Amino acid sequence: MAFIGSAVRRISLSLRPPLSPLCRISARAYSSEPTTEKSVPYEKTLKQEDGISSADAVVIGGGSLGCQTVYHLAKMGMTNVVLLERDRLTAGTTWHTAGLLWQLRPSDVEIELLAHTRNVISKDLEEETGLHTGWIQNGGLFIASNKQRLDEYKRLMSLGKVYGIESHVLSPAETKDLYPLMNVDDLYGTLYVPKDGTMDPAGTCTTLTRAASARGATVIENCPVTGIQVKSDDLGVKRVKAVETRHGTIETPCVVNCAGVWATKLGEMAGVKVPLIAMHHAYVVTERIEGIQNMPNVRDHDASVYLRLQGDALSVGGYEQNPIFWEEVSDKFAFSLFDLDWDVFMQNIEGAINRVPILEQTGIKSTVCGPESFTADHKPLMGEAPEVRGYFLGCGFNSAGMMLGGGCGRELAHWIIHGRPEKDMYGYDIRRFHHSLTDNNRWIRERSHESYAKNYSVVFPFDEPLASRNMRRDPFHKVDISNEISFALFYFPSRSNCVLSHLQALTEQGCVFQERHGWERPGWFNKDGAAPVKDYDYYGAYDTPKNANYKYNELLGKEYTFSFPPHHDVIKNECLTCRNGVAVFNMSYFGKFFLTGPDAKKAADWLFTADVNKKPGSTVYTCMLNKRGGSEADLTVSRLEPGAANLPLSPESDGDTYYLAIGGGVAEHNWNHISTVLQDQGFRCQLADHSEDMGMISIQGPKSRAVLQEVLDTDLSNEAFPFSTHKVVNAAGHQVRAMRLSFVGELGWELHIPKDSCMPVYNAVMAAGAKHGIINSGYRAIDSLSIEKGYRHWHADLRPDDTPLEAGLAFTCKLKSTIPFQGKIVCFTIDEKMPMFGLEAIFRNGVPVGHLRRSDYGFYIDKTIGYGYIRNPDGGVVSADFIRSGEFTLERMGVTYKAKAHLKTPFDSENKRVKGIYD
């Protein structure tokens, strides 16, 4: 019998050289034939006389997501649906999954998804079929070895109260009482969730498909898909036509790719990019352990290990720094495993033995090492693919397909039937990734590795990836300044010293960048000089040398706190300089689209909530909605004069033309939403993307007019250049589009600048602003300034399941209404100097009524400020009286703080400052 302890010692003494990440492939043979036929009441094949020739939807893949999706489709009334499995149900990756379900995650949407899975597995299926799915409720225990980890768990506990999830913070002694076999000597505390549990993959999937079949769905095993037919309609839009198999063809307008690690190949059949990668993921099953029965499942995040109760034994697994990539995904793989690489797995064993010492003397009954699919942000890929209409994704679940399957299967079914999910699924939507990244192998590989390696890391508010950076950079990022010196000195010879101090791009000026949508955007500005982002070092795995003297990573490490970061005062200075003087924000990563064509006006009227058809030269802030009235986007739409092309500032047009400026992090989502609407409505329009062709800087603050009046050749007075208008003007000899707008609540203008003109215009602005104390500011300052002003962020506090009325954006809608509604976003402030980051629970008169969506520190009002949607627990409307009459508290990490609810923003509620009125 092999004992875990001796296995560890053997490995530690091994001289076997490490394998590179490119060649760690097991020699284990795969199943080359379909597994043995078995008699099941729901089985059909395309060979039968009455073979299936058409279906409303074809789900491909008989794992957790495929079975959950077909079940929910049938339950929602789509009975003419087919599930195709190339081998037997669960044959790919689902059969060997650990089947854990934890109810608490650092996301309100994920908590709701997990709750639905739990209800389906523990209750709904058994009531429908009379069959037990294998659900076991033995509880879950999260281990904290330090204060930061326990703080993270306390945040989960507070959020869980909003959803009625029972959890308890335990001391080490209380943890020992609950789990006597546990070593608690190095514990800081634990979080115990009594109603967590485990699922049985085979029992769950069998029950799901039986329930679906009873409602009319068809389940076909041993039926590999060999092709997917795609056709172009009259408008040139690609749509799904049919699914080809070895046994026949099924015509269908809808394909659902639930093929797990094989999803990429299934995507290639239809010309759809599926950005995931396959890795080995392993656990071992121990021999019997006396006294382990009925113990809760354990997640020791700091040791990167989990311990799952399996009868009278434990399954032990985790996430390593050096996972093995499965380079050549085999179509013949079914109910098969890789040989376990003990060199890689050893770190999990060491953590497990430390936590439950008896494991060192416990034998290993079996090893399980199978493939799992992982993605760039450790979140699934869902929704309709941008390349082909009717092609849906339900894959890339990062070994969480069982516990997320019920909630995601339901949302995916709703997406297919109704055109959108019920919940806010943007975090899983394939459209969250820019199309330039989804087939970039370096980005997929590096980002997926980092997400895997950091899966058990503390989720801090201001974390940034280190992998696959510098994918998209704007002209202000880093340049050779030699060509700019003579230009700027020519325009501003009297201020040569000031000019020279500003003739640097943002990297040289200490910009600490954030990554969004592949773009490097300014986060904040470090006073101690440049902190460039380096190439990814895989955290030293695979014999890759770790980056030495990595200043950016050091600064990022200081962000790893639930308190105010060390540079809190730096962001404060950026904010207050904007409020009292003038600051420049580089917002070049924004999406910049032109909408033109014969039906452009019809499309604009249909797409946008506000009336954007004002006279040319106007700019309107507006929302776009989905079919249920939820907010799909907020953006500015500028009406342009028709005329000859002046690209990239304006396209050629002889009719209605609109310029759309959209937050860069959601630009791909917006592009696809607009394109889908144009296709569905049959509008004769063209949507052109010029995001890469233009930079954008925003000059904001009381002194912005004085600065820009030296740079722009136009009158900037209120009368000549009112708020929400735009003009093409000259800036230091270059044409730019100037817009009088603000996202921070101050007097200010945006300059939309052709790429080659960006640095000359920027240098001119900085030189003109030197005598006014102008500084660079980043998005951390924008976050603070905008929440202080009460401006919304999509998708933070404005989401697809929020209406503009709920979000306080009725002014963007072509209606006037006093209609009451069930939920409403409310502003809260607290007097204590205590940071909050969102997800804090909101209590009214001691009863949980919601949670903060977004929170930050407002430096001008000198208070923590947060916005959250609240509900009336009695089911009534949320009126002004309901808000005024309640006593509100916010819970942060288990501690409550008295909060003040505001019906209007506490900062400049009369909007004087954006009009240039400073009393």
Side-chain angles (χ1 to χ4, degrees):
M1 175 186 296
F3 290 93
I4 292 180
S6 59
V8 171
R9 286 190 289 273
R10 285 201 309 273
I11 295 162
S12 64
L13 295 172
S14 172
L15 298 178
R16 174 182 168 185
L19 299 174
S20 87
L22 302 178
C23 63
R24 280 186 164 139
I25 304 172
S26 171
R28 175 72 64 90
Y30 312 129
S31 168
S32 59
E33 298 294 334
T35 52
T36 306
E37 295 285 345
K38 59 183 179 180
S39 176
V40 289
Y42 50 83
E43 184 186 40
K44 295 182 182 179
T45 71
L46 293 175
K47 298 176 182 177
Q48 291 176 333
E49 294 181 5
D50 298 327
I52 300 164
S53 59
S54 65
D56 294 330
V58 175
V59 180
I60 303 173
S64 172
L65 258 295
C67 294
Q68 289 279 10
T69 301
V70 75
Y71 165 73
H72 283 94
L73 283 170
K75 195 169 183 178
M76 291 182 191
M78 183 182 280
T79 56
N80 186 22
V81 58
V82 177
L83 171 65
L84 299 179
E85 163 55 43
R86 65 184 175 86
D87 197 273
R88 311 296 297 188
L89 295 180
T90 76
T93 63
T94 297
W95 73 275
H96 59 70
T97 184
L100 293 157
L101 191 146
W102 317 94
Q103 294 178 93
L104 292 178
R105 303 267 279 209
S107 160
D108 57 322
V109 175
E110 288 191 350
I111 286 177
E112 293 175 358
L113 296 174
L114 292 167
H116 184 71
T117 299
R118 189 181 181 285
N119 286 338
V120 169
I121 302 303
S122 66
K123 174 177 166 288
D124 295 353
L125 282 174
E126 189 165 352
E127 290 178 355
E128 286 186 45
T129 66
L131 301 174
H132 183 51
T133 62
W135 166 255
I136 299 173
Q137 180 179 300
N138 60 313
L141 195 59
F142 284 6
I143 305 299
S145 301
N146 54 69
K147 181 181 183 300
Q148 284 187 326
R149 182 68 75 177
L150 193 61
D151 284 346
E152 179 186 36
Y153 295 160
K154 289 177 179 178
R155 280 172 56 81
L156 297 181
M157 177 185 67
S158 293
L159 180 60
K161 290 179 181 179
V162 179
Y163 293 94
I165 298 174
E166 179 187 359
S167 64
H168 308 275
V169 173
L170 305 182
S171 68
E174 291 170 325
T175 303
K176 185 73 171 180
D177 290 340
L178 177 66
Y179 203 120
L181 295 180
M182 183 173 291
N183 167 33
V184 299
D185 294 344
D186 58 348
L187 290 194
Y188 197 87
T190 58
L191 180 68
Y192 175 51
V193 187
K195 295 183 180 179
D196 286 351
T198 57
M199 298 169 285
D200 171 54
T204 297
C205 290
T206 298
T207 310
L208 285 166
T209 49
R210 289 188 182 224
S213 298
R215 294 177 181 271
T218 303
V219 178
I220 305 174
E221 296 180 296
N222 291 311
C223 188
V225 171
T226 57
I228 297 174
Q229 296 179 15
V230 175
K231 66 177 180 180
S232 296
D233 63 17
D234 294 340
L235 297 175
V237 179
K238 292 182 178 180
R239 298 182 183 274
V240 168
K241 180 183 179 183
V243 175
E244 299 172 350
T245 79
R246 292 177 183 174
H247 308 302
T249 298
I250 305 174
E251 292 188 359
T252 182
C254 177
V255 164
V256 192
N257 183 346
C258 298
V261 297
W262 295 270
T264 299
K265 291 187 176 182
L266 202 66
E268 291 170 355
M269 293 180 182
V272 170
K273 295 182 288 187
V274 183
L276 58 78
I277 197 164
M279 298 184 194
H280 294 201
H281 193 54
Y283 62 87
V284 299
V285 182
T286 72
E287 298 285 357
R288 185 178 186 277
I289 303 173
E290 185 63 39
I292 204 68
Q293 296 81 0
N294 302 316
M295 290 295 100
N297 302 313
V298 173
R299 251 186 174 179
D300 189 338
H301 290 95
D302 295 316
S304 197
V305 67
Y306 67 80
L307 306 168
R308 175 200 189 274
L309 185 70
Q310 193 153 326
D312 57 3
L314 287 178
S315 295
V316 179
Y319 290 81
E320 312 85 21
Q321 294 290 306
N322 55 340
I324 301 172
F325 295 100
W326 191 20
E327 302 294 348
E328 298 178 9
V329 177
S330 170
D331 291 336
K332 297 179 180 180
F333 191 102
F335 293 113
S336 299
L337 296 171
F338 306 112
D339 290 326
L340 181 65
D341 188 321
W342 284 98
D343 290 340
V344 174
F345 193 73
M346 183 179 74
Q347 53 200 286
N348 300 319
I349 292 295
E350 291 174 333
I353 290 175
N354 175 64
R355 189 55 54 221
V356 181
I358 191 64
L359 286 175
E360 187 167 19
Q361 304 302 319
T362 302
I364 300 172
K365 182 163 57 177
S366 61
T367 65
V368 178
C369 182
E372 291 280 2
S373 56
F374 294 91
T375 64
D377 57 2
H378 216 73
K379 295 184 184 297
L381 308 176
M382 293 181 64
E384 190 174 31
E387 300 91 345
V388 179
R389 300 297 303 276
Y391 191 107
F392 285 82
L393 299 177
C395 51
F397 274 80
N398 304 278
S399 76
M402 282 300 296
M403 64 176 160
L404 288 172
C408 288
R410 182 180 186 278
E411 294 304 310
L412 191 52
H414 202 279
W415 219 326
I416 292 162
I417 293 173
H418 299 289
R420 65 168 304 278
E422 272 197 316
K423 300 187 187 304
D424 165 38
M425 298 298 290
Y426 176 73
Y428 292 4
D429 193 330
I430 182 62
R431 298 175 296 174
R432 72 188 184 272
F433 297 135
H434 191 258
H435 64 268
S436 66
L437 302 175
T438 50
D439 61 352
N440 185 313
N441 290 331
R442 175 197 157 197
W443 176 79
I444 297 169
R445 188 183 194 86
E446 289 186 0
R447 210 42 95 68
S448 297
H449 169 270
E450 183 178 35
S451 295
Y452 183 102
K454 290 180 66 175
N455 183 44
Y456 277 1
S457 298
V458 177
V459 180
F460 289 106
F462 302 117
D463 194 13
E464 294 290 331
L466 295 175
S468 292
R469 296 294 294 269
N470 297 315
M471 304 297 288
R472 305 173 77 191
R473 294 182 290 189
D474 63 61
F476 304 104
H477 184 274
K478 183 180 177 68
V479 295
D480 180 1
I481 65 172
S482 59
N483 294 330
E484 309 298 335
I485 294 177
S486 59
F487 172 87
L489 290 180
F490 175 81
Y491 277 94
F492 302 97
S494 63
R495 296 196 291 276
S496 57
N497 290 335
C498 293
V499 169
L500 290 173
S501 68
H502 289 296
L503 282 178
Q504 295 177 315
L506 301 188
T507 299
E508 288 77 16
Q509 294 187 69
C511 183
V512 180
F513 288 96
Q514 300 172 332
E515 189 276 342
R516 298 293 183 274
H517 221 46
W519 286 105
E520 297 292 325
R521 75 174 193 184
W524 54 283
F525 284 82
N526 173 44
K527 299 299 185 182
D528 297 326
V533 181
K534 297 183 179 182
D535 288 342
Y536 186 50
D537 63 4
Y538 284 91
Y539 292 87
Y542 315 122
D543 291 333
T544 307
K546 294 193 71 171
N547 286 320
N549 302 316
Y550 195 178
K551 191 172 184 179
Y552 178 85
N553 194 19
E554 293 172 5
L555 290 171
L556 199 63
K558 294 177 181 179
E559 295 265 66
Y560 292 164
T561 176
F562 291 112
S563 299
F564 293 119
H567 50 268
H568 186 64
D569 60 325
V570 177
I571 298 168
K572 176 181 179 179
N573 179 63
E574 292 182 14
C575 290
L576 294 183
T577 301
C578 178
R579 288 277 185 248
N580 300 316
V582 60
V584 176
F585 302 90
N586 174 20
M587 304 173 74
S588 297
Y589 89 124
F590 261 47
K592 310 169 194 77
F593 308 152
F594 290 115
L595 179 65
T596 60
D599 291 340
K601 182 179 183 301
K602 289 181 181 179
D605 288 340
W606 185 260
L607 280 164
F608 307 122
T609 58
D611 181 6
V612 300
N613 283 298
K614 303 181 184 298
K615 64 181 181 180
S618 64
T619 296
V620 177
Y621 173 73
T622 183
C623 293
M624 291 191 289
L625 306 183
N626 53 48
K627 293 178 180 178
R628 296 190 67 198
S631 303
E632 287 291 332
D634 69 328
L635 67 159
T636 59
V637 179
S638 299
R639 185 109 182 264
L640 307 186
E641 290 273 8
N646 181 24
L647 292 173
L649 293 176
S650 56
E652 180 180 0
S653 173
D654 58 1
D656 298 296
T657 306
Y658 305 89
Y659 175 50
L660 284 52
I662 299 167
V666 295
E668 185 77 11
H669 173 87
N670 280 236
W671 173 273
N672 283 283
H673 173 76
I674 296 170
S675 299
T676 298
V677 171
L678 298 182
Q679 294 165 12
D680 290 347
Q681 297 300 317
F683 291 132
R684 295 168 296 160
C685 294
Q686 294 78 47
L687 187 65
D689 185 356
H690 286 271
S691 303
E692 307 275 355
D693 303 333
M694 283 187 281
M696 173 183 162
I697 55 175
S698 182
I699 300 90
Q700 300 288 323
K703 298 179 181 179
S704 60
R705 180 183 278 132
V707 172
L708 288 176
Q709 196 62 80
E710 293 191 46
V711 179
L712 306 182
D713 68 343
T714 191
D715 184 355
L716 300 181
S717 66
N718 287 337
E719 296 75 22
F721 209 139
F723 185 73
S724 286
T725 63
H726 64 91
K727 298 178 183 179
V728 174
V729 299
N730 284 314
H734 295 258
Q735 278 199 325
V736 304
R737 185 175 299 281
M739 295 185 181
R740 187 170 167 190
L741 294 170
S742 179
F743 196 54
V744 297
E746 298 294 334
L747 172 69
W749 280 262
E750 293 175 0
L751 302 183
H752 298 241
I753 313 166
K755 189 175 183 178
D756 293 340
S757 301
C758 282
M759 280 307 296
V761 172
Y762 169 78
N763 288 331
V765 169
M766 297 305 287
K771 66 181 179 183
H772 299 286
I774 196 169
I775 67 167
N776 289 299
S777 295
Y779 267 82
R780 291 285 289 279
I782 289 178
D783 289 341
S784 170
L785 294 164
S786 64
I787 199 171
E788 192 172 49
K789 175 58 182 155
Y791 291 157
R792 307 290 183 258
H793 275 200
W794 203 99
H795 131 276
D797 37 22
L798 179 63
R799 306 196 310 199
D801 52 345
D802 305 318
T803 70
L805 296 178
E806 291 172 316
L809 296 176
F811 68 91
T812 68
C813 300
K814 291 171 280 201
L815 55 84
K816 292 183 179 180
S817 174
T818 58
I819 301 171
F821 36 90
Q822 288 188 319
K824 181 176 176 64
I825 195 166
V826 177
C827 174
F828 296 94
T829 57
I830 62 172
D831 290 333
E832 287 89 346
K833 293 291 181 68
M834 186 61 62
M836 293 188 180
F837 307 104
L839 301 183
E840 290 81 8
I842 303 168
F843 291 81
R844 179 184 181 273
N845 299 339
V847 178
V849 292
H851 63 85
L852 295 185
R853 285 274 185 87
R854 185 163 69 103
S855 186
D856 213 314
Y857 199 82
F859 292 99
Y860 192 85
I861 66 172
D862 200 22
K863 291 180 186 295
T864 292
I865 186 169
Y867 279 83
Y869 289 82
I870 65 173
R871 296 287 187 267
N872 188 328
D874 297 331
V877 300
V878 177
S879 63
D881 287 341
F882 177 84
I883 297 170
R884 290 192 192 100
S885 62
E887 292 187 2
F888 288 93
T889 56
L890 303 178
E891 181 175 313
R892 176 191 185 270
M893 300 179 186
V895 180
T896 59
Y897 298 87
K898 187 176 180 180
K900 182 178 180 180
H902 302 265
L903 294 174
K904 290 184 178 181
T905 172
F907 171 80
D908 190 25
S909 59
E910 297 180 3
N911 286 323
K912 290 183 177 181
R913 298 172 76 99
V914 296
K915 301 172 185 175
I917 302 172
Y918 291 89
D919 297 329

